[in-house]
Amino acid sequence: MKKLAVIISSILLSSAATTAMAADSYKSISNLGYQYTDSTNDDQFKIDSKYYFSPKKTLGPYDQFEYINKQTNVYGSYLDNDASDVTSIGGEYFVDSFVVGASYENSDFGSNNESYAFTAGYFFNPDLLAKVKFVENDDDENYALFSLAYNYMLNGTDYVGVTVSSDEDFDSRSVAAKYFVDLQEGNFLTVEGTFNSISEADDQWNLETNYYFSKATSVFASYNKEDAYTFGAQHFFNQNLGLKVGYGNNADDSDNDAYFANMRYQF
């Protein structure tokens, strides 16, 4: 914990490298992440990358963009830990008021499980998107998910975004919301929450917040219904390279310590 505190303090003190407040734009975002869980002695590695075919503008902070994506993209990821490895690829294509997408995932938990997903969506207006997603699993039931995303702009940058979704039988329902606000003088704040309700299971919720001292430097914290929490900090050393470090545990002092770090590269 002392070493983590020193790392976070160093990152916060380096915020003097902040650049001007003009919006930046990127076409590629990649992450290399690592997590170590003390109670299970488990190492987890993840790498992912997404490429947009047109520039994606920030809302100030280097890692904050519009709530509803409207840029055609392709992406891929790979996750590996002591229990499994998961590989996925996919993409989305936007034309006029329509969006279509497809993805493939291979999960190895001792035996391979392949799944395919196909999505189609329609923009009723630039801030209201309806989507349907069909998922076909090799080792499980196929299902469909329906979602509606709405973005309400409070001004030129601030917004409240809400997404509601459900499966075809309404057995699984969820609501996700995000609030982004420019606090002026280089400071920003995000507050996000999710609520999931599954038939014959306990409801789940999660809250997360990020406070930006500048568009390069921020701290974050999260908490969920199971009393699990995380906190940490992120700093971009320049417009292209950022580092995020954090710590997680459970409020019952279960010794379930988790340490994680993520290197982010975007251009």
Side-chain angles (χ1 to χ4, degrees), residues 21 24 29 102 218 222:
M21 292 310 300
D24 300 277
I29 299 175
S218 60
S222 70

Side-chain angles (χ1 to χ4, degrees), residues 67-82:
Y67 183 69
I68 301 176
N69 176 56
K70 302 179 181 69
Q71 277 81 30
T72 296
N73 63 83
V74 291
Y75 58 86
S77 68
Y78 175 74
L79 180 148
D80 178 76
N81 57 35
D82 293 347

Side-chain angles (χ1 to χ4, degrees), residues 92-137:
E92 294 177 302
Y93 179 67
F94 293 80
V95 55
D96 297 327
S97 298
F98 297 91
V99 55
V100 292
S103 63
Y104 165 80
E105 182 175 287
N106 183 295
S107 305
D108 184 0
F109 294 89
S111 61
N112 285 334
N113 176 37
E114 295 182 317
S115 67
Y116 303 84
F118 304 93
T119 61
Y122 178 76
F123 284 92
F124 293 97
N125 61 57
D127 294 314
L128 182 62
L129 172 64
K131 293 178 75 173
V132 59
K133 179 178 182 180
F134 300 97
V135 181
E136 179 181 337
N137 288 295

Side-chain angles (χ1 to χ4, degrees), residues 155-174:
N155 53 44
T157 56
D158 304 355
Y159 68 79
V160 175
V162 178
T163 301
V164 295
S165 61
S166 172
D167 64 4
E168 68 269 35
D169 299 320
F170 294 97
D171 291 329
S172 175
R173 305 161 298 276
S174 68

